[in-house]
Amino acid sequence: MPWPYPEHNPYLGDDGVHDEDLRLAALVAQRLSADWTTRRQQISVSVQNRVVILTGMVADPATRQAAGDLAWDVIGVFDVCNALTLYGRGRGRR
C-alpha cells in the first residue's frame, strides 16, 4: 500500500497540516538542540507539508549527516531536505 500524500489525508484539514508542520518543526529543533553533535551549530528548521528543510552552516560532514539523521528520526516526518553547508566552502583559503 503506498503512502498517501499529505494533501490527500482525509483526517487533516488545511489547519491540521499547518499545525502538524509547526509541531514537527518544534520537535526537530528540540532534537537538534539536545544532541551534542548539533547543539552549537547554526541550523534553521522549517517544515512544509511534513518535509523538514534544514538550512544553515555546520562544522563538518559528520555533523551535517547527524542533523539529517536526527530529523528523519522524528515520527511524522515524510522527507528531509538537508541543505546545510559547511563552514569555509566556496571561499579560497590563504
Side-chain angles (χ1 to χ4, degrees), residues 3 8-9 13 16-18 28 33 35 37 43 53 69 83 93-94:
W3 289 94
H8 294 107
N9 190 341
V17 171
H18 180 69
V28 171
S33 66
D35 189 86
T37 308
I43 301 173
I53 303 164
D69 291 345
R93 292 196 171 193
R94 296 183 182 207

Side-chain angles (χ1 to χ4, degrees), residues 16-69:
V17 171
H18 180 69
D19 291 343
E20 180 67 8
D21 287 349
L22 290 174
R23 184 186 75 79
L24 289 173
L27 288 172
V28 171
Q30 180 183 18
R31 238 182 158 153
L32 292 173
S33 66
D35 189 86
W36 67 273
T37 308
T38 56
R39 79 171 58 154
R40 293 197 174 148
Q41 305 296 314
Q42 297 176 7
I43 301 173
S44 297
V45 178
S46 59
V47 179
Q48 294 178 353
N49 295 324
R50 296 185 184 166
V51 175
V52 175
I53 303 164
L54 302 175
T55 56
M57 299 181 78
V58 294
D60 54 50
T63 303
R64 183 180 188 275
Q65 180 67 40
D69 291 345

